[in-house]
Amino acid sequence: MADNARAKKLADLIREVVAEKLQRGVKDPRLGTHVTITDTRVTGDLREATVFYTVYGDDEDRASAAAGLESAKGVLRSAVGRAAGTKFTPTLTFVADALPENAKTIEDLLEKARTSDAQVREVSSGAQYAGDADPYKKPGEDDDEDAAAE
């Protein structure tokens, strides 16, 4: 079992090598320049690596990029093996990163909350309190009301 520092260093190396190879070495037109490697994680035994990526474009571009990455997996693994110089080259698994979709969902929810806050602020701008300005009784006021009632 390798330590976490070694796994982290290998993950960083894999991310750099895969990104460089996609940019300059792989001639697949499905990949192009719209694929970005966002993160890489390596298991503790250094046998498997998960590479997270995003694709700039629509669903068709994402599907073609996923097929392109699967077909280029062997070339990318060979490049990682040459750069890492380890006894065993980790197998690569490509996973589409959900970060952009999550960020868009959060932005939509925040915009909805801003709109709702603006509506509440607009409705309450001319509103007045339902009772007195200070609805709480003070200790001296109870004595005054009791004396007036007698």
Side-chain angles (χ1 to χ4, degrees), residues 28-92:
D28 195 338
R30 297 176 289 187
L31 298 175
T33 59
H34 55 274
V35 176
T36 304
I37 304 300
T38 56
D39 193 19
T40 307
R41 296 190 184 141
V42 178
T43 58
D45 60 357
L46 306 179
R47 295 280 183 168
E48 297 176 14
T50 305
V51 180
F52 295 92
Y53 68 93
T54 58
V55 178
Y56 182 74
D58 57 0
D59 290 336
E60 183 179 320
D61 291 335
R62 288 185 193 104
S64 67
L69 286 170
E70 283 299 316
S71 69
K73 189 184 286 191
V75 173
L76 295 173
R77 185 173 181 217
S78 297
V80 167
R82 279 191 301 275
T86 57
K87 184 176 182 180
F88 181 81
T89 303
T91 57
L92 301 178

Side-chain angles (χ1 to χ4, degrees), residues 72-142:
K73 189 184 286 191
V75 173
L76 295 173
R77 185 173 181 217
S78 297
V80 167
R82 279 191 301 275
T86 57
K87 184 176 182 180
F88 181 81
T89 303
T91 57
L92 301 178
T93 305
F94 292 97
V95 176
D97 199 353
L99 185 66
E101 289 83 17
N102 291 345
K104 181 168 178 14
T105 302
I106 290 171
E107 282 297 322
D108 291 343
L109 291 172
L110 287 173
E111 183 59 35
K112 190 176 178 182
R114 283 187 206 104
T115 305
S116 176
D117 287 349
Q119 289 174 347
V120 168
R121 198 174 308 112
E122 186 178 307
V123 168
S124 67
S125 64
Q128 294 185 2
Y129 292 107
D132 296 332
D134 188 9
Y136 300 105
K137 292 185 178 184
K138 297 187 177 49
E141 292 176 358
D142 290 339

